[in-house]
Amino acid sequence: MVMGAGAVAGCFGALLGIGGGVFLVPFLQFVVGLPYNVARAIGLMTVIATSSVVSAGSASRKLVNLRLGMLIQVPASASALLAAILVVRIPERALFIMFSVVLAAITALMLYRLERRNVILDPSADPGPLGGRFYEEESAREVVYRIKRLPVSLVVSMVAGFVSGSLGIGGGILQVPALNAWCGVPLRAAAATSAVMIGVTAVSSVPLYYARGDMSAPLAAAAVIGVLAGSRAGFWFGAKARAKWLKLIMAGVLMFVSLTYLMKALD
Amino acid sequence: MANPSRLKSVERGLQSLMVGVLAFSALMLLAGLATFMFVPGHPRVEFLMTVGLIVLMTTPAVRVAIAVLGAIRARDWLFLTSTVAVTLLLGLTLGLALAGIRG
């Protein structure tokens, strides 16, 4: 059951660039009945697994903006580490409410800017110091994008890192919509870049949970194996899907997870 | 000044390394899980799964380390600054974990 859930989590995680934790942690906690700290540690391992599959794959290479990714990774890693240190002092209910509210806001933003595309169809355009270019199947040509509002991406990454370290998810669920809606990054490039960076965010906190004894090795192994199998399929689908449909799927996932955590917080 | 073509060549080399590390981790986890399920109580179960999980944890760190080398090769100083900063943070995490900080 855990392996199957991991496969589904890996597929959606790679498809949307958000890692598997956002699906798996609620499943482990509310369906399997694991303590929150154990579910969190396993969730972070599955995020690393999803991220590693994307990093090892060739399809994502042209979409990943590593220069931008590493820059926004600095606040993400710092806050993930801080979260892992402080989380024992934060009530679970407070974390759930915080996460629920942030997800709802991101969902609203994504739906508001559903038709927005961040690509420049002129391949000779200058992407700037942090932008990029890639071949887009929808346009059947190479497209360019430029980064806007860099400070916003740094702040969002800091929040995403804290959420990752405290809730056991990758943080991509915040970074991808924000990079797409506010910072000028096309959805596929945002998803691919996020999918690579969330592994670094997760590994900024998971060793502390491992040292605390929060990791259940057999369950983590089962979840990771499921994720490794499912994430390859997810990334293949993502390359074929239209950006608008990816946004709608992500908005639906965000809303579902937001309501789940809100209900648990109010329980 | 940044050299994008050098950056890309480092990225290509990274792919083979990541595939190998990931395959090894998956193999250890599969072996550990299979042993756990079919030979419960086997003394090697914990070792196999622990090795698999730890190797998996190293893959993002390997990616960052390769990115540092790529930044140096490409003479991309902004990229180098951010990758070194991330490396230091990961080192801090590891140090705290080893020191057994419980928060």
Side-chain angles (χ1 to χ4, degrees):
Chain A
M1 184 166 65
V2 171
M3 198 180 296
V8 172
C11 185
F12 274 105
L15 178 69
L16 302 171
I18 59 176
V22 73
F23 306 102
L24 200 61
V25 171
F27 177 84
L28 291 173
Q29 198 179 350
F30 306 143
V31 177
V32 179
L34 291 180
Y36 171 58
N37 58 322
V38 177
R40 176 177 54 209
I42 294 174
L44 287 171
M45 287 306 304
T46 62
V47 168
I48 294 171
T50 304
S51 178
S52 299
V53 170
V54 174
S55 289
S58 58
S60 67
R61 218 169 347 108
K62 290 190 166 111
L63 291 166
V64 175
N65 187 334
L66 203 56
R67 219 161 168 263
L68 172 67
M70 280 295 174
L71 185 60
I72 64 176
Q73 188 59 48
V74 177
S77 284
S79 54
L81 172 57
L82 190 65
I85 295 170
L86 295 177
V87 73
V88 290
R89 297 185 175 88
I90 303 173
E92 271 186 32
R93 185 169 292 203
L95 289 175
F96 293 166
I97 291 173
M98 172 189 75
F99 190 43
S100 180
V101 168
V102 170
L103 283 179
I106 297 283
T107 304
L109 179 66
M110 280 205 78
L111 292 174
Y112 175 68
R113 297 172 81 111
L114 190 64
E115 298 297 334
R116 184 177 187 84
R117 295 185 73 230
N118 292 316
V119 296
I120 302 169
L121 297 179
D122 176 9
S124 65
D126 178 20
L130 291 171
R133 59 181 78 242
F134 62 95
Y135 182 83
E136 187 185 51
E137 292 201 20
E138 269 176 68
S139 313
R141 64 172 85 179
E142 189 174 73
V143 297
V144 175
Y145 63 93
R146 292 195 195 101
I147 302 303
K148 297 183 283 192
R149 304 186 191 94
L150 181 63
V152 170
S153 68
L154 294 171
V155 171
V156 169
S157 294
M158 186 173 64
V159 173
F162 192 86
V163 167
S164 168
S166 54
L167 290 174
I169 63 174
I173 200 164
L174 299 176
Q175 285 181 306
V176 173
L179 287 175
N180 179 246
W182 286 325
C183 303
V185 185
L187 186 64
R188 278 198 192 79
T193 303
S194 168
V196 171
M197 305 319 301
I198 54 175
V200 183
T201 306
V203 90
S204 301
S205 61
V206 78
L208 292 182
Y209 295 127
Y210 195 93
R212 285 182 195 146
D214 289 348
M215 190 73 68
S216 163
L219 289 177
V224 165
I225 288 166
V227 162
L228 290 176
S231 55
R232 297 288 288 183
F235 205 76
W236 186 85
F237 286 124
K240 310 291 180 194
R242 296 179 74 87
K244 181 178 176 180
W245 284 108
L246 288 179
K247 287 185 184 181
L248 284 171
I249 292 170
M250 177 169 274
V253 167
L254 290 174
M255 233 24 252
F256 174 75
V257 176
S258 173
L259 289 171
T260 301
Y261 274 95
L262 184 62
M263 281 166 49
K264 195 63 187 171
L266 299 175
D267 194 4
Chain B
M1 181 170 290
N3 187 330
S5 62
R6 284 188 169 183
L7 217 52
K8 295 287 183 187
S9 71
V10 171
E11 283 297 305
R12 280 192 290 271
L14 170 66
Q15 191 190 349
S16 300
L17 178 63
M18 295 291 287
V19 168
V21 172
L22 201 55
F24 178 75
S25 169
L27 193 66
M28 297 302 280
L29 290 173
L30 264 172
L33 198 58
T35 309
F36 176 78
M37 288 167 63
F38 298 114
V39 192
H42 192 284
R44 287 293 185 189
V45 165
E46 196 68 31
F47 171 77
L48 289 170
M49 287 192 284
T50 299
V51 169
L53 290 174
I54 289 176
V55 169
L56 184 63
M57 275 190 254
T58 65
T59 51
V62 167
R63 190 156 207 345
V64 175
I66 297 291
V68 171
L69 297 176
I72 293 172
R73 241 188 116 195
R75 299 181 190 280
D76 187 336
W77 308 121
L78 174 63
F79 190 37
L80 180 62
T81 303
S82 53
T83 51
V84 167
V86 172
T87 303
L88 291 174
L89 286 166
L90 293 182
L92 180 59
T93 299
L94 180 63
L96 290 173
L98 292 174
I101 299 295
R102 296 296 183 264

